[in-house]
Amino acid sequence: MATGWAREGAVQEQIDATVKDAVDRAKSLLPAGESPAHCVECGEAIPQARREALPGVRLCLACQDAADKENGPVAGYNRRGSKDSQLR
């Protein structure tokens, strides 16, 4: 594959690094530890089944849904840049 000035395998290394960053970010967002019986945001009781399924969960389902919508997906990081930006 023609890669211009990049050495052989550099493109795959960039892809692997981007995937690793995304996996590390996802792991850092997972809850851990003991779950409280009540939501830390609104005080509603967190069902026992939810606490057992997700150890460390701190929000009730409604608050978690709102937090997920607020945070939203993260855009990928383009490590290579475009050729146009390299020509300028």
Side-chain angles (χ1 to χ4, degrees), residues 34 44 57:
E34 189 173 336
E44 279 290 316
V57 70

Side-chain angles (χ1 to χ4, degrees), residues 2-88:
T3 58
W5 294 100
R7 63 180 167 66
E8 191 65 33
V11 173
Q12 187 60 48
E13 289 174 8
Q14 291 172 347
I15 293 168
D16 293 343
T18 300
V19 170
K20 182 185 179 302
D21 291 346
V23 169
D24 290 344
R25 181 179 184 282
K27 283 182 179 179
S28 73
L29 297 175
L30 290 174
E34 189 173 336
S35 299
H38 294 84
C39 177
V40 296
E41 290 290 321
C42 69
E44 279 290 316
I46 300 174
Q48 181 65 27
R50 177 168 167 76
R51 289 186 282 143
E52 289 174 3
L54 296 168
V57 70
R58 300 198 156 316
L59 302 174
C60 68
L61 195 54
C63 291
Q64 184 66 59
D65 187 45
D68 290 345
K69 286 179 182 175
E70 182 179 304
N71 292 334
V74 174
Y77 183 77
N78 182 359
R79 295 173 185 270
R80 294 182 66 190
S82 68
K83 289 185 180 180
D84 290 341
S85 66
Q86 295 171 4
L87 295 174
R88 292 183 186 154

